[in-house]
Amino acid sequence: MSRPRISLVRLAQESIAEVLGTGDHAVDATAGNGHDTLFLAQTVGPAGRVTAFDIQPVALDATRRRLQEQDLLAPVRLVAAGHETMEEHIKAPIRAAMFNLGYLPGGDKTVTTRTDTSLRGLDAACRLLAPGGRISVMVYTGHPGGGEEHDAVLAFLKELGDNWRWQRANPDGIPAAAPQLFLLDLKLMGLKPTA
Ligand SMILES: C[S@@+](CC[C@H](N)C(=O)[O-])C[C@H]1O[C@@H](n2cnc3c(N)ncnc32)[C@H](O)[C@@H]1O
């Protein structure tokens, strides 16, 4: 019996949609061709905000075009900088962040995310995330440096404190060599009651 093909990109978006709503602030840490940025803009609506990072002008141009086609550019700020600079650009808590690591599909395969900057970006997103928020991280192991990046992300997750809950979200039947989707939740518990 053949299994239905499960899209991890879709699963990441559905998981983020569980915690993200109208008027929220979300981050696309790797804008790429803009699929996740568009999804985030649709989810937060005109009253929300999306901040999308990429180091390649070609990626930001593709993202801008995708948003313009759907008339959804207004809530989105496109930042031509690495996600490791996230805290220079965002000062308020965010509800969600999406990392889709690796190279730009259809673009220059030699320009990939790098372990050190990915970890710094992830660390920054963790500091910015509001309790109850969620971060998705998609890691590809098939390109040079991808395996190391995967192992470093896993080590980072294992060091997270008790306020965090994380899981590898790949459904059964996805081959081990496939991209890996991690979801990180900042728990609501442990918050001090306000006076
Ligand atoms: C797999 S693609 C992202 C796909 C995208 N989420 C989409 O929906 O089309 C990875 C992207 O990360 C970008 N990138 C690489 N290093 C980065 C960094 N330090 N900060 C932000 N983006 C980076 C690449 O330029 C590339 O466009």
Side-chain angles (χ1 to χ4, degrees):
M1 190 180 76
S2 66
R3 289 176 184 279
R5 194 163 183 278
I6 302 161
S7 160
L8 284 179
V9 172
R10 181 80 182 275
L11 182 60
Q13 293 180 352
E14 287 176 357
S15 303
I16 290 293
E18 288 173 4
V19 302
L20 189 67
T22 308
D24 284 337
H25 185 181
V27 168
D28 187 347
T30 51
N33 287 315
H35 299 283
D36 290 330
T37 311
L38 177 64
F39 153 74
L40 293 170
Q42 286 166 334
T43 306
V44 302
R49 263 181 305 158
V50 178
T51 308
F53 295 84
D54 208 291
I55 56 169
Q56 296 193 74
V58 66
L60 293 169
D61 288 346
T63 299
R64 185 179 296 105
R65 274 198 307 277
R66 190 175 298 283
L67 293 163
Q68 277 168 339
E69 280 167 15
Q70 304 288 328
D71 200 17
L72 274 167
L73 190 56
V76 179
R77 183 155 67 112
L78 297 173
V79 180
H83 42 230
E84 62 277 14
T85 68
M86 201 178 290
E87 287 171 295
E88 293 171 28
H89 302 278
I90 301 174
K91 302 298 177 190
I94 59 173
R95 185 73 184 165
M98 300 186 78
F99 289 76
N100 190 341
L101 305 177
Y103 58 79
L104 178 67
D108 183 347
K109 290 188 170 54
T110 65
V111 182
T112 68
T113 52
R114 295 199 336 256
T115 299
D116 60 334
T117 45
S118 297
L119 289 185
R120 280 159 51 205
L122 191 51
D123 201 27
C126 285
R127 280 193 294 271
L128 286 167
L129 197 72
R134 179 170 290 171
I135 298 171
S136 66
V137 186
M138 186 96 78
V139 193
Y140 300 81
T141 54
H143 62 87
E148 177 202 295
E149 194 171 40
H150 167 273
D151 293 350
V153 168
L154 192 55
F156 176 92
L157 297 179
K158 288 180 176 171
E159 290 294 314
L160 286 173
D162 289 345
N163 281 352
W164 292 88
R165 187 178 55 214
W166 66 269
Q167 59 171 311
R168 193 192 293 263
N170 285 46
D172 291 345
I174 297 275
Q180 302 291 309
L181 173 62
F182 295 101
L183 299 174
L184 298 63
D185 289 343
L186 182 54
K187 296 182 198 167
L188 281 168
M189 57 178 272
L191 285 182
K192 291 197 180 93
T194 49

